[in-house]
Amino acid sequence: MNLAAKDIQHNLGRFALTIVGIGMLLMTVMGMAGIYRGLIEDATLLVERIGAELWVVQRDTRGPFAEVSRVPKALVYRVLSVPGVASAREFVFNTIQREHNGRPLRMAILGLSWPLDKGEWLPLMAGRPLAQNHYEMVADKTLGLRLDERIKLGKETYRIVGITDGMVSTNGEGMAFLSVWDSQAVQFDNSGEAIRLERAARGRRSATDDMFLSQPLLTEQLARPTADLPAVATPELSAVVVRVSSGADPAAVAATISAWPDISVFAKAGEEELLVQGMVDKARRQLGMFRALLTVIAAIIMALILYTLTLDKLHSIALLKLIGAPNRTILLMILQQAIFLGGLGYGVAYLVGQKLFPHFPRRVVVTNEDLLQLAIIVLGISVLSSFLGIWRAMRVQPNEALMG
Amino acid sequence: MRNASLAVRRGEVIALLGPSGSGKSTFLTAVGLINPPTSGQILIGGVLVLDGPSSLVNVRSFRRQHIGFIFQKSNLIPFLSARENVQVALELNGASPRYARRRAAELLEELGVGDRAENRPSMLSGGQQQRVAVARALANDPSVILADEPTAALDSQRGRQVMELFRAVAHEHGAGVIVVTHDHRTLEVFDTIYEMEDGAITKAGNSKEAT
């Protein structure tokens, strides 16, 4: 006869509530690991999807995801001239926050290098990639935009032509994909007054600038749009992404490009490592510590519950000892209940987590490895938490059964 | 306790009378191998079990096989049914679950509570609970059954029924029964009556001789 099961049957409601409570706690522990995995996945998602072998970024910066990186447009053509480079594309990336339909909308904008890149590689769940180089946008579903919806960004209005699934930035913001031109228009959108002020400032600066003093005719050009004046324009690209020809050595190509004094080059693995180490590491440690704390709390709560359940059974335990039950029978009863609580709590955590995690604002990725690790931890804390109850049960004397 | 010596044979039912604090329950717990005496010997079934405070056998195992307990309150395990309360005693003694289940049902039937076998103790009357406790005490065919005021919580009619039950099971199962009691109304069922005072057994006789 399984005494543990009989006791559970007798106190079914109490055990059920305890299991739900422990399950919720374990689900939080499970979720912590999932959030961490999600952070890693989000952080490296874009680098993975873009599939570039080399990232050419502003000198001494860590690339467009870690910090501001600005490189000139002409860099694309310089890179293309390097032997072994199969393709070089503009990469524009920035995060904006705008008001849309009365609510703040935060999105990470990625410029697609039209016409080479129309977004065919995007995981579309509805719609299509870009079909023209202006006024079309592919948006991630997390942004809450609908197909064919219009959104005004800067001075232009863009139509949503495609919806992606799971495309979020390292910070968890949903991504929007425009052509490079459109993304730059959004990024460098200035009011008319700001443009007039900048042109006036250029004029004042030119009065003391050697270049304009030695070539006075240049000052006539200062009234033209900034984009037309490479000498005074801010570099507009975040990076240049490079694919290496088959048969070429990416390390050799990277070495050639990185010899230029104005840029730095990262291989795909290096960019991913930068993202994980630089951006996610603190979050990882924080989540790890939180997870450890929750595990300890779960163990303490389980120990207290099992201890209380054992206290309720002291008379029965004394009685069992009186009628000759060996210690191992009592020990097994408590241990089985602990494992039962832990096991079913784990099951509740898994099932509820499967339903709840997809609704979390950030991605929660629960891997089999994490599930197995948590199962082992739960088994460990189940056994550990039963010790207090077992210790108390072992101290019960049979003659306590004779007392009231 | 001092000079507390008595013998009970198989099939014999003896009573231990005495005022509160006279040492009856202490005597019972010593015989039941729960609180060993500081000196003296306890023999059960011809086996020297305790010699002073030292046990010469595995106490818990010996208790399981040779001693049955019945208490003032029925002392059944609340999370087990009547049948399971009897069955657990059998399984703890090594009986297979199937045999234990069948034997427990038989014992409950024999004691008149077969129809309540699947009820938990809280669903049984005091008398029914005491019958289940008797069934559990008999489960492993013990050499001796120790009962501590088993009728204290029962009315006189049910108390008498329980005492007669002891007599019947002592004869049918061949167990010696020692009953600690205050209940003078049921003394005629006992073969021998002992009285205790200040830790000593002072008198022995039959029901007519007992005061």
Side-chain angles (χ1 to χ4, degrees):
Chain A
M1 182 188 314
N2 189 313
L3 292 171
K6 293 290 173 188
D7 186 32
I8 289 167
Q9 230 174 351
H10 185 59
N11 295 296
L12 200 56
R14 198 168 166 190
F15 268 91
L17 276 177
T18 306
I19 285 164
V20 170
I22 288 174
M24 291 295 155
L25 207 57
L26 292 176
M27 186 196 70
T28 314
V29 176
M30 203 180 269
M32 288 290 147
I35 289 168
Y36 165 63
R37 295 279 179 201
L39 279 180
I40 300 270
E41 199 156 296
D42 286 351
T44 55
L45 174 82
L46 207 51
V47 177
E48 282 289 337
R49 295 267 185 185
I50 287 172
E53 282 148 311
L54 298 175
W55 288 74
V56 184
V57 302
Q58 183 182 335
R59 184 78 183 180
D60 296 332
T61 68
R62 298 290 176 265
F65 306 111
E67 58 184 306
V68 174
S69 164
R70 293 276 178 228
V71 292
K73 265 187 162 179
L75 182 64
V76 174
Y77 305 104
R78 280 163 62 194
V79 171
L80 273 172
S81 68
V82 175
V85 170
S87 75
R89 280 187 287 156
E90 299 149 317
F91 183 84
V92 177
F93 181 80
N94 68 305
T95 302
I96 62 165
Q97 184 167 329
R98 298 286 190 275
E99 192 89 7
H100 180 65
N101 290 341
R103 64 181 178 92
L105 182 64
R106 196 170 165 80
M107 60 174 81
I109 294 184
L110 178 73
L112 299 175
S113 187
W114 179 276
L116 288 174
D117 183 1
K118 297 168 185 168
E120 295 90 342
W121 51 275
L122 293 170
L124 290 170
M125 57 182 285
R128 55 167 173 80
L130 301 185
Q132 60 187 49
N133 62 351
H134 281 303
Y135 317 127
E136 285 192 346
M137 176 192 274
V138 175
D140 190 68
K141 67 171 183 182
T142 53
L143 292 172
L145 299 169
R146 295 183 313 277
L147 215 55
D148 274 335
E149 191 175 346
R150 263 99 173 144
I151 180 168
K152 190 168 179 1
L153 297 174
K155 295 180 182 62
E156 307 297 346
T157 300
Y158 301 90
R159 189 164 70 95
I160 312 299
V161 297
I163 303 286
T164 60
D165 185 13
M167 291 303 290
V168 293
S169 74
T170 50
N171 294 324
E173 278 105 24
M175 295 193 68
F177 304 86
L178 302 167
S179 69
V180 166
W181 289 317
D182 284 350
S183 69
Q184 286 172 333
V186 173
Q187 190 177 0
F188 300 111
D189 175 49
N190 281 322
S191 65
E193 181 60 14
I195 293 167
R196 277 192 295 278
L197 288 171
E198 164 58 17
R199 285 180 188 166
R202 270 183 222 158
R204 283 195 298 276
R205 286 199 301 270
S206 68
T208 54
D209 192 298
D210 283 347
M211 182 170 68
F212 291 94
L213 290 173
S214 58
Q215 300 175 72
L217 283 177
L218 273 180
T219 53
E220 288 173 15
Q221 307 292 319
L222 288 176
R224 295 178 61 190
T226 304
D228 294 348
L229 301 171
V232 297
T234 316
E236 291 172 341
L237 302 184
S238 304
V240 172
V241 290
V242 179
R243 277 182 190 272
V244 176
S245 313
S246 59
D249 178 12
V253 175
T256 307
I257 299 174
S258 60
W260 302 340
D262 60 333
I263 51 94
S264 294
V265 181
F266 292 101
K268 182 182 164 197
E271 188 64 29
E272 281 181 352
E273 195 183 326
L274 276 174
L275 284 167
V276 172
Q277 293 299 322
M279 300 185 67
V280 184
D281 191 50
K282 272 189 185 161
R284 179 184 67 82
R285 276 187 283 162
Q286 184 133 336
L287 286 172
M289 290 178 80
F290 199 38
R291 195 176 169 211
L293 271 176
L294 281 174
T295 309
V296 171
I297 291 167
I300 291 170
I301 289 175
M302 275 182 73
L304 283 175
I305 290 167
L306 285 163
Y307 183 66
T308 313
L309 290 170
T310 306
L311 287 186
D312 289 351
K313 284 197 292 283
L314 286 185
H315 190 260
S316 297
I317 289 169
L319 196 57
L320 283 166
K321 287 188 177 183
L322 188 71
I323 63 174
N327 280 341
R328 72 167 183 282
T329 303
I330 316 286
L331 185 147
L332 269 177
M333 177 171 68
I334 298 169
L335 194 62
Q336 281 171 350
Q337 287 185 344
I339 292 170
F340 182 79
L341 274 181
L344 279 189
Y346 179 84
V348 167
Y350 178 76
L351 291 176
V352 178
Q354 293 291 308
K355 297 278 176 204
L356 276 186
F357 291 156
H359 302 290
F360 276 34
R362 289 214 60 170
R363 198 197 308 256
V364 181
V365 180
V366 181
T367 63
N368 287 340
E369 186 191 332
D370 287 340
L371 285 175
L372 181 67
Q373 189 191 48
L374 185 62
I376 293 167
I377 289 171
V378 169
L379 183 66
I381 62 173
S382 300
V383 173
L384 281 177
S385 61
S386 67
F387 285 175
L388 193 62
I390 289 171
W391 168 79
R392 183 66 187 88
M394 291 302 110
R395 292 180 63 201
V396 173
Q397 297 300 316
N399 59 359
E400 288 176 39
L402 307 177
M403 301 167 190
Chain B
M1 288 189 299
R2 57 191 166 77
N3 297 327
S5 183
L6 63 78
V8 58
R9 288 182 297 275
R10 281 184 177 275
E12 188 182 19
V13 184
I14 66 169
L16 205 53
L17 298 176
S20 292
S22 60
K24 306 184 299 289
S25 294
T26 307
F27 179 83
L28 215 60
T29 55
V31 177
L33 311 178
I34 297 168
N35 287 327
T38 49
S39 64
Q41 292 182 330
I42 295 172
L43 288 90
I44 298 175
V47 177
L48 180 58
V49 181
L50 277 181
D51 191 2
S54 325
S55 57
L56 304 174
V57 293
N58 178 326
V59 168
R60 220 178 275 185
S61 163
F62 194 88
R63 201 160 55 216
R64 195 162 61 218
Q65 291 165 14
H66 297 281
I67 304 172
F69 290 93
I70 299 158
F71 311 100
Q72 184 174 348
K73 289 179 182 174
S74 59
N75 258 334
L76 299 175
I77 296 170
F79 56 83
L80 300 180
S81 68
R83 176 183 53 73
E84 287 163 346
N85 263 282
V86 181
Q87 190 178 335
V88 74
L90 284 155
E91 285 189 24
L92 285 172
N93 203 30
S96 70
R98 177 183 278 192
Y99 169 77
R101 189 185 170 91
R102 200 189 68 227
R103 177 75 184 128
E106 283 171 4
L107 280 167
L108 290 174
E109 200 63 51
E110 183 183 330
L111 290 163
V113 281
D115 57 333
R116 310 307 300 269
E118 299 309 320
N119 288 119
R120 291 225 169 89
S122 58
M123 305 292 289
L124 304 174
S125 70
Q128 287 168 333
Q129 288 184 29
Q130 210 55 296
R131 283 167 184 270
V132 176
V134 173
R136 183 180 64 195
L138 288 171
N140 291 315
D141 289 325
S143 310
V144 59
I145 293 174
L146 306 173
D148 190 4
E149 309 231 19
T151 58
L154 303 177
D155 60 37
S156 59
Q157 192 191 345
R158 289 186 191 283
R160 187 172 190 83
Q161 284 173 353
V162 169
M163 289 301 193
E164 281 169 357
L165 184 63
F166 285 148
R167 185 164 189 82
V169 298
H171 289 167
E172 285 164 25
H173 291 262
V177 180
I178 303 174
V179 181
V180 164
T181 183
H182 274 117
D183 193 350
H184 286 249
R185 296 166 300 183
T186 56
L187 293 181
E188 66 270 19
V189 302
F190 296 103
D191 297 314
T192 313
I193 296 162
Y194 293 87
E195 286 188 31
M196 281 194 82
E197 201 170 334
D198 297 331
I201 292 176
T202 56
K203 199 174 175 182
N206 58 30
S207 62
K208 287 176 185 163
E209 292 160 343
T211 52

